[in-house]
Amino acid sequence: MTTGRRAPLDRKRVADTALALLNETGLDGLTLRAIAKELDVKAPALYWHFKDKQALLDEMATEMYRRMVAGTRLDPGDTWQERLRKANHGLRDALLAYRDGAKVFSGSRFTGTEHAHAMEETLRLFTAAGFTLGQAVRATTTAFTYTIGFVIEEQGVQPLPDERREGYDVAERARLFADYPLTARAGAEIFTDYGTHFEEGLDIVVAGIAARYGIPADVSGD
């Protein structure tokens, strides 16, 4: 009779397990006790690897980033607009893969340095296009925070792409606000077709950056 040996408990295994559980429990239900139970260990064992839940969230966000960029290559021929759009579409897709993915990512601190390569290349592209370093940082972080905020709101309505929270029926909302016709009609603009609305909002952010800093739309980062 043989017995299987369990994989050793380490930070990656804990984070992987937590991310797998996230779609079932959501962030509020993702407790260290629940993760420990899934790993078949006692909850105190997790404190050897993470001092608290925020430390675990930091590692989860880092692992989400690793998965997002795995196998992808930055195109040196991108214009700064193309890079900004590609990066933020990729970020949104990555966050939508997990229930409360945007909440996990928001405010978390990366535990490694993997993000530095893409950040360095993007800042180099932006500064070559005519941005100062400060302008490049503000442009990229503004787009980043737009995406995070958008997906937090999106997942408040649709925790997962095929799931919709009760209370967000657009027709019912229109009936409730019948005395306020523009507000009633706005529901369809706010709570449906998130992909189109995200794209339009990102276009507004990109256009605003170009207008604010006076960087021509056709300048590339070569």
Side-chain angles (χ1 to χ4, degrees):
M1 179 177 179
T2 61
T3 59
R5 178 179 295 179
R6 288 190 305 185
L9 191 64
D10 57 21
R11 291 173 64 87
K12 187 178 188 310
R13 185 173 170 225
V14 175
D16 287 346
T17 301
L19 286 170
L21 276 177
L22 188 62
N23 282 349
E24 299 176 20
T25 67
L27 186 56
D28 290 342
L30 188 69
T31 64
L32 292 177
R33 184 182 298 274
I35 297 166
K37 182 178 179 181
E38 188 71 14
L39 288 164
D40 194 24
V41 299
K42 300 295 183 183
L46 301 185
Y47 288 102
W48 285 100
H49 304 281
F50 301 100
K51 66 178 182 178
D52 53 29
K53 188 174 180 179
Q54 184 57 57
L56 173 59
L57 293 177
D58 290 345
E59 187 65 30
M60 291 168 64
T62 303
E63 181 59 29
M64 289 168 66
Y65 179 83
R66 293 186 189 110
R67 296 178 184 184
M68 181 176 71
V69 301
T72 63
R73 296 182 62 185
L74 299 177
D75 185 348
D78 282 344
T79 64
W80 66 266
Q81 295 97 328
E82 289 168 339
R83 178 66 58 83
L84 212 55
R85 289 190 177 96
K86 288 178 183 178
N88 284 279
H89 275 289
L91 176 60
R92 176 172 175 261
D93 290 344
L95 299 178
L96 289 176
Y98 305 93
R99 186 185 299 271
D100 292 330
K103 287 184 178 180
V104 171
F105 216 77
S106 175
S108 293
R109 178 186 65 84
F110 285 154
T111 60
T113 61
E114 296 96 334
H115 62 290
H117 174 73
M119 184 175 183
E120 185 74 13
E121 291 300 307
T122 295
L123 292 175
R124 184 178 291 119
L125 186 153
F126 271 67
T127 53
F131 291 85
T132 67
L133 177 59
Q135 291 169 345
V137 169
R138 283 183 284 280
T140 53
T141 56
T142 295
F144 173 84
T145 52
Y146 161 72
T147 300
I148 294 289
F150 185 97
V151 179
I152 287 176
E153 293 298 320
E154 180 178 3
Q155 292 188 314
V157 179
Q158 296 179 179
L160 291 172
D162 60 349
E163 182 180 320
R164 193 172 182 88
R165 279 182 58 199
E166 184 178 355
Y168 284 99
D169 183 280
V170 172
E172 178 59 32
R173 182 186 182 279
R175 286 192 292 272
L176 182 64
F177 292 109
D179 293 338
Y180 308 94
L182 293 177
T183 301
R185 287 162 51 197
E189 295 294 332
I190 301 170
F191 302 116
T192 64
D193 200 8
Y194 284 100
T196 298
H197 298 158
F198 174 77
E199 180 71 33
E200 185 173 347
L202 186 58
D203 283 345
I204 292 170
V205 172
V206 172
I209 290 168
R212 176 65 178 84
Y213 296 128
I215 307 297
D218 60 348
V219 172
S220 75
D222 289 346

